[in-house]
Short mmCIF file of all heavy atoms in Angstrom, two decimals:
data_model
loop_
_atom_site.label_atom_id
_atom_site.label_comp_id
_atom_site.label_asym_id
_atom_site.label_seq_id
_atom_site.Cartn_x
_atom_site.Cartn_y
_atom_site.Cartn_z
N MET C 211 19.39 -27.37 -24.33
CA MET C 211 18.72 -27.12 -23.04
C MET C 211 17.51 -28.05 -22.90
O MET C 211 16.86 -28.37 -23.88
CB MET C 211 18.29 -25.65 -22.98
CG MET C 211 17.84 -25.22 -21.58
SD MET C 211 17.27 -23.51 -21.58
CE MET C 211 18.82 -22.65 -21.34
N GLU C 212 17.28 -28.46 -21.68
CA GLU C 212 16.15 -29.34 -21.41
C GLU C 212 14.83 -28.61 -21.70
O GLU C 212 14.65 -27.46 -21.33
CB GLU C 212 16.19 -29.75 -19.94
CG GLU C 212 15.18 -30.83 -19.59
CD GLU C 212 14.99 -30.98 -18.08
OE1 GLU C 212 15.85 -30.50 -17.34
OE2 GLU C 212 13.98 -31.55 -17.69
N LYS C 213 13.93 -29.34 -22.36
CA LYS C 213 12.65 -28.72 -22.69
C LYS C 213 11.62 -29.13 -21.65
O LYS C 213 11.16 -30.26 -21.61
CB LYS C 213 12.17 -29.20 -24.07
CG LYS C 213 13.02 -28.66 -25.19
CD LYS C 213 12.51 -27.31 -25.65
CE LYS C 213 13.44 -26.64 -26.64
NZ LYS C 213 13.93 -25.34 -26.23
N LYS C 214 11.28 -28.20 -20.78
CA LYS C 214 10.26 -28.50 -19.79
C LYS C 214 8.90 -28.07 -20.34
O LYS C 214 8.64 -26.88 -20.54
CB LYS C 214 10.58 -27.73 -18.49
CG LYS C 214 9.63 -28.08 -17.35
CD LYS C 214 10.12 -27.43 -16.06
CE LYS C 214 9.47 -28.01 -14.84
NZ LYS C 214 8.11 -27.63 -14.59
N ILE C 215 8.05 -29.07 -20.62
CA ILE C 215 6.74 -28.77 -21.17
C ILE C 215 5.79 -28.31 -20.06
O ILE C 215 5.59 -29.01 -19.08
CB ILE C 215 6.12 -30.03 -21.84
CG1 ILE C 215 7.03 -30.62 -22.90
CG2 ILE C 215 4.73 -29.70 -22.40
CD1 ILE C 215 6.95 -29.99 -24.26
N LEU C 216 5.22 -27.14 -20.22
CA LEU C 216 4.27 -26.63 -19.23
C LEU C 216 2.84 -26.92 -19.65
O LEU C 216 1.95 -27.06 -18.82
CB LEU C 216 4.43 -25.11 -19.05
CG LEU C 216 5.77 -24.63 -18.50
CD1 LEU C 216 5.71 -23.13 -18.29
CD2 LEU C 216 6.12 -25.34 -17.20
N CYS C 217 2.62 -26.97 -20.95
CA CYS C 217 1.27 -27.22 -21.46
C CYS C 217 1.36 -28.25 -22.58
O CYS C 217 1.86 -27.96 -23.66
CB CYS C 217 0.68 -25.91 -21.98
SG CYS C 217 -0.92 -26.11 -22.79
N GLY C 218 0.89 -29.47 -22.27
CA GLY C 218 0.97 -30.57 -23.23
C GLY C 218 0.03 -30.40 -24.41
O GLY C 218 0.36 -30.79 -25.53
N CYS C 219 -1.14 -29.83 -24.17
CA CYS C 219 -2.11 -29.65 -25.27
C CYS C 219 -1.53 -28.80 -26.39
O CYS C 219 -1.80 -29.04 -27.55
CB CYS C 219 -3.39 -28.98 -24.77
SG CYS C 219 -4.42 -29.99 -23.70
N HIS C 220 -0.77 -27.79 -26.00
CA HIS C 220 -0.28 -26.84 -27.00
C HIS C 220 1.23 -26.82 -27.11
O HIS C 220 1.80 -25.93 -27.75
CB HIS C 220 -0.85 -25.45 -26.71
CG HIS C 220 -2.34 -25.45 -26.73
ND1 HIS C 220 -3.06 -25.52 -27.90
CD2 HIS C 220 -3.25 -25.47 -25.72
CE1 HIS C 220 -4.35 -25.56 -27.60
NE2 HIS C 220 -4.50 -25.53 -26.29
N ASN C 221 1.87 -27.81 -26.46
CA ASN C 221 3.32 -27.96 -26.56
C ASN C 221 4.09 -26.67 -26.24
O ASN C 221 4.93 -26.24 -27.02
CB ASN C 221 3.66 -28.47 -27.97
CG ASN C 221 5.02 -29.12 -28.03
OD1 ASN C 221 5.54 -29.57 -27.01
ND2 ASN C 221 5.61 -29.15 -29.21
N VAL C 222 3.75 -26.09 -25.11
CA VAL C 222 4.42 -24.85 -24.69
C VAL C 222 5.41 -25.19 -23.58
O VAL C 222 5.06 -25.86 -22.61
CB VAL C 222 3.40 -23.81 -24.17
CG1 VAL C 222 4.10 -22.50 -23.82
CG2 VAL C 222 2.31 -23.56 -25.20
N THR C 223 6.66 -24.76 -23.76
CA THR C 223 7.71 -25.07 -22.78
C THR C 223 7.97 -23.88 -21.85
O THR C 223 7.55 -22.75 -22.14
CB THR C 223 9.03 -25.41 -23.49
OG1 THR C 223 9.49 -24.24 -24.17
CG2 THR C 223 8.85 -26.54 -24.49
N LEU C 224 8.69 -24.17 -20.78
CA LEU C 224 9.10 -23.11 -19.86
C LEU C 224 9.92 -22.05 -20.60
O LEU C 224 9.75 -20.85 -20.39
CB LEU C 224 9.91 -23.73 -18.71
CG LEU C 224 10.44 -22.77 -17.65
CD1 LEU C 224 9.30 -22.04 -16.95
CD2 LEU C 224 11.29 -23.52 -16.62
N ASP C 225 10.79 -22.51 -21.50
CA ASP C 225 11.59 -21.57 -22.27
C ASP C 225 10.73 -20.67 -23.16
O ASP C 225 11.04 -19.50 -23.35
CB ASP C 225 12.59 -22.33 -23.17
CG ASP C 225 13.77 -22.86 -22.36
OD1 ASP C 225 13.92 -22.46 -21.19
OD2 ASP C 225 14.52 -23.69 -22.90
N ASP C 226 9.64 -21.23 -23.71
CA ASP C 226 8.74 -20.43 -24.54
C ASP C 226 8.13 -19.29 -23.71
O ASP C 226 8.03 -18.15 -24.17
CB ASP C 226 7.58 -21.28 -25.08
CG ASP C 226 8.04 -22.32 -26.10
OD1 ASP C 226 9.06 -22.07 -26.78
OD2 ASP C 226 7.37 -23.36 -26.20
N VAL C 227 7.73 -19.63 -22.47
CA VAL C 227 7.11 -18.63 -21.61
C VAL C 227 8.13 -17.55 -21.24
O VAL C 227 7.84 -16.35 -21.31
CB VAL C 227 6.51 -19.29 -20.34
CG1 VAL C 227 6.00 -18.24 -19.37
CG2 VAL C 227 5.37 -20.23 -20.74
N LYS C 228 9.33 -17.99 -20.89
CA LYS C 228 10.39 -17.02 -20.55
C LYS C 228 10.68 -16.10 -21.73
O LYS C 228 10.89 -14.90 -21.57
CB LYS C 228 11.67 -17.75 -20.14
CG LYS C 228 11.57 -18.37 -18.75
CD LYS C 228 12.88 -19.05 -18.40
CE LYS C 228 12.86 -19.64 -16.99
NZ LYS C 228 14.03 -20.51 -16.75
N ALA C 229 10.69 -16.69 -22.92
CA ALA C 229 10.98 -15.90 -24.12
C ALA C 229 9.92 -14.84 -24.34
O ALA C 229 10.22 -13.70 -24.69
CB ALA C 229 11.07 -16.82 -25.34
N GLN C 230 8.66 -15.20 -24.10
CA GLN C 230 7.57 -14.22 -24.29
C GLN C 230 7.66 -13.10 -23.26
O GLN C 230 7.39 -11.94 -23.58
CB GLN C 230 6.20 -14.91 -24.20
CG GLN C 230 5.87 -15.82 -25.38
CD GLN C 230 5.99 -15.12 -26.72
OE1 GLN C 230 5.65 -13.95 -26.86
NE2 GLN C 230 6.50 -15.82 -27.72
N ILE C 231 8.07 -13.43 -22.04
CA ILE C 231 8.25 -12.39 -21.02
C ILE C 231 9.38 -11.45 -21.47
O ILE C 231 9.25 -10.23 -21.36
CB ILE C 231 8.54 -13.02 -19.63
CG1 ILE C 231 7.27 -13.70 -19.11
CG2 ILE C 231 9.01 -11.95 -18.64
CD1 ILE C 231 7.45 -14.49 -17.82
N GLU C 232 10.43 -12.03 -22.01
CA GLU C 232 11.54 -11.19 -22.50
C GLU C 232 11.08 -10.29 -23.64
O GLU C 232 11.59 -9.18 -23.82
CB GLU C 232 12.71 -12.05 -22.96
CG GLU C 232 13.66 -12.36 -21.81
CD GLU C 232 14.72 -13.39 -22.18
OE1 GLU C 232 15.16 -13.40 -23.35
OE2 GLU C 232 15.09 -14.18 -21.30
N LEU C 233 10.11 -10.77 -24.40
CA LEU C 233 9.59 -9.96 -25.52
C LEU C 233 8.60 -8.91 -25.06
O LEU C 233 8.10 -8.12 -25.86
CB LEU C 233 8.93 -10.87 -26.57
CG LEU C 233 9.89 -11.75 -27.38
CD1 LEU C 233 9.12 -12.77 -28.21
CD2 LEU C 233 10.75 -10.88 -28.29
N GLY C 234 8.28 -8.92 -23.75
CA GLY C 234 7.42 -7.86 -23.22
C GLY C 234 6.04 -8.26 -22.78
O GLY C 234 5.23 -7.41 -22.42
N VAL C 235 5.72 -9.56 -22.82
CA VAL C 235 4.39 -10.00 -22.37
C VAL C 235 4.28 -9.85 -20.86
O VAL C 235 5.16 -10.29 -20.12
CB VAL C 235 4.15 -11.47 -22.79
CG1 VAL C 235 2.88 -12.02 -22.18
CG2 VAL C 235 4.09 -11.58 -24.31
N ARG C 236 3.24 -9.17 -20.41
CA ARG C 236 3.06 -8.91 -18.98
C ARG C 236 1.72 -9.38 -18.43
O ARG C 236 1.42 -9.21 -17.27
CB ARG C 236 3.21 -7.40 -18.69
CG ARG C 236 4.63 -6.88 -18.89
CD ARG C 236 5.57 -7.51 -17.87
NE ARG C 236 6.95 -7.10 -18.07
CZ ARG C 236 7.84 -7.78 -18.78
NH1 ARG C 236 7.50 -8.91 -19.38
NH2 ARG C 236 9.07 -7.35 -18.91
N LYS C 237 0.89 -9.96 -19.30
CA LYS C 237 -0.41 -10.47 -18.84
C LYS C 237 -0.59 -11.91 -19.32
O LYS C 237 -0.23 -12.24 -20.47
CB LYS C 237 -1.55 -9.62 -19.41
CG LYS C 237 -1.61 -8.23 -18.83
CD LYS C 237 -2.98 -7.61 -19.04
CE LYS C 237 -3.17 -6.38 -18.16
NZ LYS C 237 -2.16 -5.34 -18.49
N PHE C 238 -1.17 -12.74 -18.43
CA PHE C 238 -1.34 -14.15 -18.78
C PHE C 238 -2.23 -14.30 -20.01
O PHE C 238 -1.99 -15.13 -20.88
CB PHE C 238 -1.91 -14.92 -17.58
CG PHE C 238 -1.94 -16.40 -17.81
CD1 PHE C 238 -0.76 -17.12 -17.93
CD2 PHE C 238 -3.13 -17.07 -17.92
CE1 PHE C 238 -0.78 -18.50 -18.15
CE2 PHE C 238 -3.17 -18.45 -18.14
CZ PHE C 238 -1.99 -19.16 -18.26
N LYS C 239 -3.25 -13.46 -20.10
CA LYS C 239 -4.17 -13.49 -21.25
C LYS C 239 -3.43 -13.25 -22.56
O LYS C 239 -3.72 -13.90 -23.58
CB LYS C 239 -5.25 -12.42 -21.02
CG LYS C 239 -6.24 -12.25 -22.15
CD LYS C 239 -7.26 -13.39 -22.17
CE LYS C 239 -8.27 -13.24 -23.30
NZ LYS C 239 -7.70 -13.45 -24.64
N GLU C 240 -2.47 -12.34 -22.50
CA GLU C 240 -1.65 -12.02 -23.67
C GLU C 240 -0.81 -13.25 -24.06
O GLU C 240 -0.70 -13.59 -25.24
CB GLU C 240 -0.74 -10.86 -23.26
CG GLU C 240 -0.32 -9.92 -24.34
CD GLU C 240 0.62 -8.85 -23.77
OE1 GLU C 240 0.56 -8.55 -22.55
OE2 GLU C 240 1.42 -8.33 -24.57
N LEU C 241 -0.25 -13.90 -23.03
CA LEU C 241 0.54 -15.11 -23.26
C LEU C 241 -0.33 -16.19 -23.90
O LEU C 241 0.10 -16.91 -24.81
CB LEU C 241 1.11 -15.61 -21.92
CG LEU C 241 1.99 -16.86 -21.98
CD1 LEU C 241 3.32 -16.55 -22.64
CD2 LEU C 241 2.19 -17.46 -20.60
N GLN C 242 -1.58 -16.28 -23.46
CA GLN C 242 -2.51 -17.27 -24.01
C GLN C 242 -2.84 -16.96 -25.47
O GLN C 242 -2.94 -17.87 -26.29
CB GLN C 242 -3.79 -17.30 -23.20
CG GLN C 242 -3.61 -17.95 -21.83
CD GLN C 242 -4.92 -18.13 -21.12
OE1 GLN C 242 -5.65 -17.16 -20.91
NE2 GLN C 242 -5.23 -19.34 -20.74
N ASP C 243 -3.02 -15.67 -25.77
CA ASP C 243 -3.33 -15.30 -27.16
C ASP C 243 -2.19 -15.70 -28.09
O ASP C 243 -2.41 -16.11 -29.22
CB ASP C 243 -3.55 -13.78 -27.27
CG ASP C 243 -4.88 -13.36 -26.64
OD1 ASP C 243 -5.72 -14.24 -26.36
OD2 ASP C 243 -5.07 -12.15 -26.43
N ILE C 244 -0.96 -15.60 -27.60
CA ILE C 244 0.20 -15.89 -28.43
C ILE C 244 0.51 -17.39 -28.50
O ILE C 244 0.78 -17.93 -29.57
CB ILE C 244 1.45 -15.13 -27.90
CG1 ILE C 244 1.21 -13.62 -28.00
CG2 ILE C 244 2.71 -15.53 -28.68
CD1 ILE C 244 2.22 -12.78 -27.23
N THR C 245 0.45 -18.08 -27.34
CA THR C 245 0.91 -19.47 -27.30
C THR C 245 -0.21 -20.51 -27.17
O THR C 245 0.03 -21.70 -27.31
CB THR C 245 1.86 -19.69 -26.11
OG1 THR C 245 1.12 -19.51 -24.89
CG2 THR C 245 3.03 -18.72 -26.13
N ASN C 246 -1.43 -20.06 -26.79
CA ASN C 246 -2.56 -20.96 -26.49
C ASN C 246 -2.36 -21.74 -25.19
O ASN C 246 -3.12 -22.68 -24.91
CB ASN C 246 -2.84 -21.96 -27.62
CG ASN C 246 -3.53 -21.29 -28.79
OD1 ASN C 246 -4.37 -20.42 -28.60
ND2 ASN C 246 -3.16 -21.68 -29.99
N ILE C 247 -1.38 -21.37 -24.40
CA ILE C 247 -1.11 -22.09 -23.14
C ILE C 247 -2.34 -22.08 -22.24
O ILE C 247 -2.98 -21.04 -22.05
CB ILE C 247 0.12 -21.48 -22.41
CG1 ILE C 247 0.56 -22.37 -21.25
CG2 ILE C 247 -0.14 -20.04 -21.94
CD1 ILE C 247 1.91 -21.98 -20.65
N GLY C 248 -2.68 -23.26 -21.74
CA GLY C 248 -3.78 -23.36 -20.78
C GLY C 248 -5.15 -22.94 -21.31
O GLY C 248 -6.00 -22.52 -20.54
N THR C 249 -5.36 -23.08 -22.60
CA THR C 249 -6.66 -22.66 -23.13
C THR C 249 -7.65 -23.83 -23.23
O THR C 249 -8.79 -23.64 -23.62
CB THR C 249 -6.51 -22.01 -24.53
OG1 THR C 249 -5.73 -22.86 -25.36
CG2 THR C 249 -5.84 -20.64 -24.43
N ASP C 250 -7.21 -25.04 -22.85
CA ASP C 250 -8.12 -26.19 -22.92
C ASP C 250 -8.39 -26.92 -21.60
O ASP C 250 -9.47 -27.46 -21.43
CB ASP C 250 -7.61 -27.21 -23.94
CG ASP C 250 -7.88 -26.73 -25.35
OD1 ASP C 250 -9.05 -26.52 -25.69
OD2 ASP C 250 -6.91 -26.53 -26.10
N CYS C 251 -7.41 -26.94 -20.69
CA CYS C 251 -7.62 -27.64 -19.41
C CYS C 251 -7.55 -26.66 -18.25
O CYS C 251 -6.51 -26.03 -18.06
CB CYS C 251 -6.54 -28.68 -19.17
SG CYS C 251 -6.12 -29.67 -20.61
N PRO C 252 -8.62 -26.56 -17.46
CA PRO C 252 -8.59 -25.63 -16.34
C PRO C 252 -7.41 -25.82 -15.38
O PRO C 252 -6.83 -24.82 -14.95
CB PRO C 252 -9.93 -25.87 -15.64
CG PRO C 252 -10.82 -26.35 -16.75
CD PRO C 252 -9.93 -27.16 -17.65
N PRO C 253 -7.00 -27.06 -15.02
CA PRO C 253 -5.85 -27.17 -14.10
C PRO C 253 -4.58 -26.60 -14.72
O PRO C 253 -3.75 -26.04 -14.03
CB PRO C 253 -5.71 -28.68 -13.88
CG PRO C 253 -7.00 -29.27 -14.31
CD PRO C 253 -7.55 -28.37 -15.36
N CYS C 254 -4.43 -26.78 -16.01
CA CYS C 254 -3.27 -26.25 -16.72
C CYS C 254 -3.29 -24.73 -16.67
O CYS C 254 -2.27 -24.08 -16.44
CB CYS C 254 -3.27 -26.75 -18.17
SG CYS C 254 -2.01 -26.00 -19.20
N THR C 255 -4.45 -24.14 -16.90
CA THR C 255 -4.60 -22.68 -16.86
C THR C 255 -4.15 -22.15 -15.52
O THR C 255 -3.32 -21.24 -15.43
CB THR C 255 -6.08 -22.29 -17.04
OG1 THR C 255 -6.64 -23.02 -18.10
CG2 THR C 255 -6.22 -20.79 -17.30
N GLU C 256 -4.71 -22.76 -14.46
CA GLU C 256 -4.44 -22.30 -13.10
C GLU C 256 -2.95 -22.40 -12.75
O GLU C 256 -2.34 -21.46 -12.27
CB GLU C 256 -5.23 -23.20 -12.16
CG GLU C 256 -5.71 -22.54 -10.89
CD GLU C 256 -6.67 -23.47 -10.19
OE1 GLU C 256 -7.83 -23.58 -10.64
OE2 GLU C 256 -6.24 -24.10 -9.22
N GLN C 257 -2.39 -23.56 -13.03
CA GLN C 257 -1.00 -23.83 -12.72
C GLN C 257 -0.05 -22.89 -13.48
O GLN C 257 0.89 -22.35 -12.92
CB GLN C 257 -0.71 -25.28 -13.11
CG GLN C 257 0.56 -25.84 -12.54
CD GLN C 257 0.70 -27.30 -12.97
OE1 GLN C 257 -0.29 -28.01 -13.18
NE2 GLN C 257 1.91 -27.74 -13.14
N ASN C 258 -0.34 -22.71 -14.74
CA ASN C 258 0.57 -21.90 -15.55
C ASN C 258 0.41 -20.41 -15.33
O ASN C 258 1.35 -19.65 -15.51
CB ASN C 258 0.44 -22.26 -17.02
CG ASN C 258 1.14 -23.56 -17.30
OD1 ASN C 258 2.30 -23.73 -16.92
ND2 ASN C 258 0.46 -24.49 -17.93
N GLU C 259 -0.78 -19.99 -14.91
CA GLU C 259 -0.95 -18.58 -14.57
C GLU C 259 -0.07 -18.27 -13.37
O GLU C 259 0.58 -17.23 -13.30
CB GLU C 259 -2.42 -18.25 -14.27
CG GLU C 259 -2.64 -16.76 -14.08
CD GLU C 259 -4.09 -16.34 -14.23
OE1 GLU C 259 -4.98 -17.21 -14.17
OE2 GLU C 259 -4.32 -15.14 -14.39
N LYS C 260 -0.01 -19.22 -12.44
CA LYS C 260 0.83 -19.03 -11.25
C LYS C 260 2.31 -19.01 -11.65
O LYS C 260 3.06 -18.14 -11.22
CB LYS C 260 0.56 -20.15 -10.23
CG LYS C 260 1.34 -19.93 -8.96
CD LYS C 260 1.04 -20.94 -7.90
CE LYS C 260 1.81 -20.64 -6.61
NZ LYS C 260 3.15 -20.10 -6.81
N ILE C 261 2.72 -19.95 -12.48
CA ILE C 261 4.12 -20.00 -12.93
C ILE C 261 4.48 -18.70 -13.65
O ILE C 261 5.53 -18.10 -13.40
CB ILE C 261 4.36 -21.22 -13.85
CG1 ILE C 261 4.29 -22.50 -13.02
CG2 ILE C 261 5.69 -21.11 -14.59
CD1 ILE C 261 4.27 -23.79 -13.84
N PHE C 262 3.57 -18.26 -14.53
CA PHE C 262 3.81 -17.02 -15.28
C PHE C 262 3.98 -15.83 -14.32
O PHE C 262 4.92 -15.04 -14.46
CB PHE C 262 2.63 -16.78 -16.24
CG PHE C 262 2.69 -15.47 -16.96
CD1 PHE C 262 3.56 -15.28 -18.03
CD2 PHE C 262 1.86 -14.42 -16.59
CE1 PHE C 262 3.61 -14.06 -18.70
CE2 PHE C 262 1.90 -13.21 -17.25
CZ PHE C 262 2.78 -13.02 -18.31
N ASN C 263 3.08 -15.73 -13.35
CA ASN C 263 3.15 -14.60 -12.41
C ASN C 263 4.41 -14.66 -11.55
O ASN C 263 5.01 -13.62 -11.27
CB ASN C 263 1.89 -14.55 -11.54
CG ASN C 263 0.70 -14.05 -12.33
OD1 ASN C 263 0.85 -13.22 -13.22
ND2 ASN C 263 -0.49 -14.57 -12.03
N ASP C 264 4.82 -15.86 -11.16
CA ASP C 264 6.07 -16.01 -10.40
C ASP C 264 7.27 -15.59 -11.25
O ASP C 264 8.17 -14.91 -10.77
CB ASP C 264 6.26 -17.46 -9.93
CG ASP C 264 5.32 -17.83 -8.80
OD1 ASP C 264 4.70 -16.92 -8.23
OD2 ASP C 264 5.23 -19.03 -8.48
N LEU C 265 7.27 -15.97 -12.52
CA LEU C 265 8.37 -15.59 -13.41
C LEU C 265 8.41 -14.07 -13.59
O LEU C 265 9.47 -13.46 -13.60
CB LEU C 265 8.21 -16.25 -14.78
CG LEU C 265 8.53 -17.75 -14.85
CD1 LEU C 265 8.10 -18.29 -16.21
CD2 LEU C 265 10.02 -17.99 -14.65
N LEU C 266 7.23 -13.48 -13.71
CA LEU C 266 7.14 -12.02 -13.86
C LEU C 266 7.73 -11.31 -12.65
O LEU C 266 8.48 -10.35 -12.80
CB LEU C 266 5.67 -11.59 -13.98
CG LEU C 266 5.06 -11.39 -15.34
CD1 LEU C 266 3.72 -10.72 -15.20
CD2 LEU C 266 5.97 -10.62 -16.27
N LEU C 267 7.39 -11.81 -11.46
CA LEU C 267 7.92 -11.21 -10.23
C LEU C 267 9.44 -11.26 -10.23
O LEU C 267 10.11 -10.32 -9.82
CB LEU C 267 7.40 -11.95 -9.00
CG LEU C 267 5.96 -11.67 -8.59
CD1 LEU C 267 5.58 -12.53 -7.39
CD2 LEU C 267 5.75 -10.20 -8.28
N ASN C 268 9.98 -12.39 -10.74
CA ASN C 268 11.42 -12.56 -10.76
C ASN C 268 12.13 -11.68 -11.79
O ASN C 268 13.32 -11.47 -11.70
CB ASN C 268 11.78 -14.03 -11.01
CG ASN C 268 11.42 -14.88 -9.81
OD1 ASN C 268 11.40 -14.39 -8.69
ND2 ASN C 268 11.12 -16.14 -10.05
N THR C 269 11.37 -11.15 -12.75
CA THR C 269 12.01 -10.25 -13.72
C THR C 269 12.14 -8.86 -13.13
O THR C 269 12.84 -8.02 -13.66
CB THR C 269 11.19 -10.12 -15.03
OG1 THR C 269 9.96 -9.48 -14.72
CG2 THR C 269 10.93 -11.45 -15.68
N GLY C 270 11.42 -8.61 -12.04
CA GLY C 270 11.50 -7.32 -11.37
C GLY C 270 10.70 -6.23 -12.06
O GLY C 270 10.87 -5.05 -11.79
N ASN C 271 9.80 -6.62 -12.96
CA ASN C 271 8.96 -5.63 -13.64
C ASN C 271 7.56 -5.56 -13.05
O ASN C 271 6.85 -6.47 -13.13
CB ASN C 271 8.83 -5.96 -15.13
CG ASN C 271 10.15 -5.75 -15.84
OD1 ASN C 271 10.75 -4.69 -15.71
ND2 ASN C 271 10.61 -6.77 -16.53
S1 LIG W 1337 -2.31 -29.14 -21.00
FE1 LIG W 1337 -2.44 -27.01 -21.25
S2 LIG W 1337 -4.41 -26.65 -22.01
FE2 LIG W 1337 -4.29 -28.78 -21.77
#
C-alpha cells in the first residue's frame, strides 16, 4: 500500500493514523502522545488535527 506521509518530522503516515483510530484513539492529543504527529511544526499540527477529525467523523463514532 502507498505510504502517505502526514508528518515528515516524525514519519507518521495516513495508515498509522487510521490504525490508531482503529485501536480506539479519539483525541488528537492522544494521537500525538503515541505518534508525536505534529508536535514540532504548527502548520503540521493544524493540518493533521483536521485530517484526524475528518477521519473520526467517517468512522461514525
Ligand atoms: S512535519 Fe509534523 S511536526 Fe513537523
Side-chain angles (χ1 to χ4, degrees):
M211 191 183 274
E212 188 194 343
K213 291 273 172 238
K214 185 172 195 285
I215 305 276
L216 297 184
C217 175
C219 290
H220 301 286
N221 200 23
V222 184
T223 65
L224 179 61
D225 284 348
D226 292 332
V227 174
K228 286 181 178 170
Q230 290 306 322
I231 290 174
E232 272 171 34
L233 289 171
V235 172
R236 291 294 177 267
K237 290 200 165 61
F238 188 67
K239 176 76 180 70
E240 210 181 335
L241 181 71
Q242 287 187 304
D243 288 347
I244 297 167
T245 66
N246 285 323
I247 191 169
T249 50
D250 284 300
C251 317
C254 173
T255 314
E256 212 170 284
Q257 195 178 330
N258 283 310
E259 187 161 17
K260 184 176 183 324
I261 290 170
F262 174 76
N263 286 326
D264 287 348
L265 286 171
L266 265 191
L267 284 178
N268 290 333
T269 66
N271 291 308

